[in-house]
Amino acid sequence: MTGAEAQLGDAGTALWLTGWQIEPVLGWTSRRVLAVVGGVRAGRLDYVVHPDGQALSVWMLDVEPRFRRRNLASVMMDALYAAHPTAWIDHGGRTEEGARWWDRYADPAPERNIHNRPPREWAQYFEAPVVMAQRARNAYENRRLGLEGHSAAEYGHGERLEDVAAQWASAYRPAWVERVDPAAGELHGGLRLVLPHALGRVMFDGQRDVAERAERLLDHIGYGSLPPTAGWHTTLGAAFEDLAHEQVFDTAPGDAMTHVAFRVRLGAGQEVPRHDARATWVSYPDSPGIEVELTGMAWRSPRTPWATHFAGFDRPVDAAIAPAAWQDASEQYTARYDRIGELRPGQSPRRAETGPFAGREAAIAAMAAKLQEASRRRTAAARPPEPTREVPEHLQGQQPSPPPQWPRPR
């Protein structure tokens, strides 16, 4: 698969494997194959992938009306098979239109289609009753429409679907993944915006200092205007992927759009705000305005996404993820920022003190205590024992004689 930058000119067709921020199956990763023709969204194939990458389920295959009859649906499905060369595939239930398409499609790997294989091979990934219901629906559509629909492969085992569903229902094992902890490290989120012409020229002038350009861009956006609805990802690439995805689905994207990504972290000791965490990203629904430390920025043009500008801050800048609605903004946020995220009069950009020991005070104190205790133990072990005098056996039990009294000079 290729990236969004692989568009083949105004008349070219590009396929892009991307993500979509929905989790229809707990723990499974949501993915999407997008077909773009001449820079315009032409079709999509939505699916979810098991955490181990060895099973996926197709949720939607759709081609825009004006791009149909161009074989795009088959191209997207072929790309799905190529992107996951060893995974079990559940194609799900089909509509009438989907049944007609499937009847024409040449399945490149029917041995990986779970509808063609006995449940003992895939039942740990998929719920057998659900799969059997899908197969029954597809069989009905094939009979109603007079289609073969690869039935010879799908129904070649001769089993009764209700018996299979009952027998293998208990074999299913729900997926589990560790979710992102927003306090554990840095996260990346972005927004799209149209810059004034003069500022746009400055931002993409590679001869200028990148840190200075980042400061000017932040002054323009507002220190309290970090995007409230963004998904905050564990990687910068995923944040830019989100923005490119929005660009494709935008009905009026515009040519002068700039994509900006922010790298942030919660301040040390700050209470973690209410959030919705997934395997690789986290969001802050109904954000009241969340104080963060901005540690870096990056920006690019969607027309030339390979030319990305990066700026890291040696001393993080205090900023805030904007409130989702002004009436829900916290007092702490409104005391520092106005409605459009600009600093209020008397407020100024603050830079967090940083260094090799920043945010590690508790860990350093615990280590110091541990080292001091170990030092005390080593000192005690190395101290020589107190000397002792042996008392002859015939004197044992007697009071020792007083020391001699020497005459004192008068």
Side-chain angles (χ1 to χ4, degrees), residues 76-102:
M76 288 189 290
M77 187 61 73
D78 286 348
L80 174 69
Y81 273 89
H84 302 275
T86 61
W88 288 109
I89 299 178
D90 173 19
H91 288 275
R94 301 185 185 95
T95 62
E96 176 179 330
E97 189 175 47
R100 293 185 186 280
W101 169 79
W102 181 253

Side-chain angles (χ1 to χ4, degrees), residues 115-137:
H115 290 204
N116 299 342
R117 303 299 303 170
R120 66 174 179 274
E121 298 180 2
W122 49 260
Q124 71 272 27
Y125 290 114
F126 306 96
E127 295 182 89
V130 175
V131 176
M132 295 304 109
Q134 294 168 350
R135 291 177 62 177
R137 173 180 174 177

Side-chain angles (χ1 to χ4, degrees), residues 2 20 36 134 193 236 242 254 301 306 317 320 329 355 361 393:
T2 56
W20 49 303
V36 181
Q134 294 168 350
L193 69 165
L236 177 64
D242 261 6
S301 165
W306 51 86
V317 179
E361 292 80 2
E393 185 176 350

Side-chain angles (χ1 to χ4, degrees), residues 215 218-219 222-223 315-319 336-337 343-344 346-352:
E215 297 274 4
L218 188 57
D219 285 336
Y223 289 78
R315 297 172 59 199
V317 179
D318 282 355
R336 183 160 168 75
Y337 307 99
L343 292 164
R344 291 189 179 279
Q347 300 287 338
S348 60
R350 296 192 300 252
R351 289 190 175 274

Side-chain angles (χ1 to χ4, degrees), residues 58-392:
V58 175
W59 280 70
M60 175 181 288
L61 176 60
D62 181 60
V63 176
E64 296 298 314
R66 67 189 178 107
F67 293 104
R68 292 174 184 172
R69 306 300 178 188
R70 301 189 187 187
N71 211 35
L72 275 179
S74 297
V75 169
M76 288 189 290
M77 187 61 73
D78 286 348
L80 174 69
Y81 273 89
H84 302 275
T86 61
W88 288 109
I89 299 178
D90 173 19
H91 288 275
R94 301 185 185 95
T95 62
E96 176 179 330
E97 189 175 47
R100 293 185 186 280
W101 169 79
W102 181 253
D103 187 60
R104 300 189 302 269
Y105 179 64
D107 191 344
E111 71 281 359
R112 294 197 283 120
N113 181 345
I114 66 168
H115 290 204
N116 299 342
R117 303 299 303 170
R120 66 174 179 274
E121 298 180 2
W122 49 260
Q124 71 272 27
Y125 290 114
F126 306 96
E127 295 182 89
V130 175
V131 176
M132 295 304 109
Q134 294 168 350
R135 291 177 62 177
R137 173 180 174 177
N138 295 340
Y140 169 78
E141 289 293 340
N142 288 338
R143 287 194 301 269
R144 187 175 68 86
L145 300 172
L147 304 173
E148 193 279 331
H150 306 280
S151 296
E154 186 166 345
Y155 304 104
H157 302 287
E159 68 274 289
R160 296 179 69 246
L161 300 187
E162 57 270 29
D163 293 341
V164 173
Q167 180 181 356
W168 291 97
S170 61
Y172 175 66
R173 296 292 179 267
W176 181 89
V177 292
E178 186 173 356
R179 297 177 181 270
V180 171
D181 178 2
E186 295 179 326
L187 297 173
H188 307 261
L191 59 78
R192 299 180 303 137
L193 69 165
V194 177
L195 298 177
H197 182 67
L199 179 58
R201 285 191 304 173
V202 170
M203 295 310 302
F204 293 99
D205 183 356
Q207 301 302 314
R208 293 176 176 262
D209 178 68
V210 69
E212 176 189 349
R213 287 183 282 153
E215 297 274 4
R216 292 189 61 173
L217 180 58
L218 188 57
D219 285 336
H220 172 75
I221 296 171
Y223 289 78
S225 293
L226 274 57
T229 59
W232 293 87
H233 297 266
T234 54
T235 67
L236 177 64
F240 273 127
E241 189 178 68
D242 261 6
L243 298 175
H245 191 267
E246 290 179 15
Q247 188 83 9
V248 172
F249 278 81
D250 195 338
T251 55
D255 294 330
M257 195 71 68
T258 298
H259 294 178
V260 183
F262 305 93
R263 187 177 71 204
V264 305
R265 68 188 181 207
L266 295 177
Q270 179 178 338
E271 182 179 354
V272 178
R274 187 169 69 88
H275 60 279
D276 181 11
R278 305 303 172 94
T280 60
W281 55 275
V282 64
S283 62
Y284 297 101
D286 305 322
S287 162
I290 301 170
E291 298 286 332
V292 294
E293 294 178 356
L294 179 61
T295 62
M297 295 173 60
W299 59 93
R300 62 167 61 162
S301 165
R303 298 180 66 87
T304 56
W306 51 86
T308 302
H309 303 256
F310 300 91
F313 301 137
D314 293 334
R315 297 172 59 199
V317 179
D318 282 355
I321 297 172
W326 179 253
Q327 62 269 23
D328 298 326
S330 66
E331 293 183 3
Q332 183 178 3
Y333 178 88
T334 56
R336 183 160 168 75
Y337 307 99
D338 62 17
R339 282 179 174 267
I340 61 175
E342 293 187 354
L343 292 164
R344 291 189 179 279
Q347 300 287 338
S348 60
R350 296 192 300 252
R351 289 190 175 274
E353 294 295 335
T354 187
F357 309 114
R360 301 173 56 194
E361 292 80 2
I364 292 173
M367 180 59 70
K370 184 177 180 180
L371 293 174
Q372 290 174 349
E373 177 61 24
S375 177
R376 284 193 292 270
R377 290 178 180 177
R378 287 195 300 270
T379 300
R383 184 179 298 132
E386 293 292 334
T388 58
R389 294 192 316 170
E390 293 187 4
V391 180

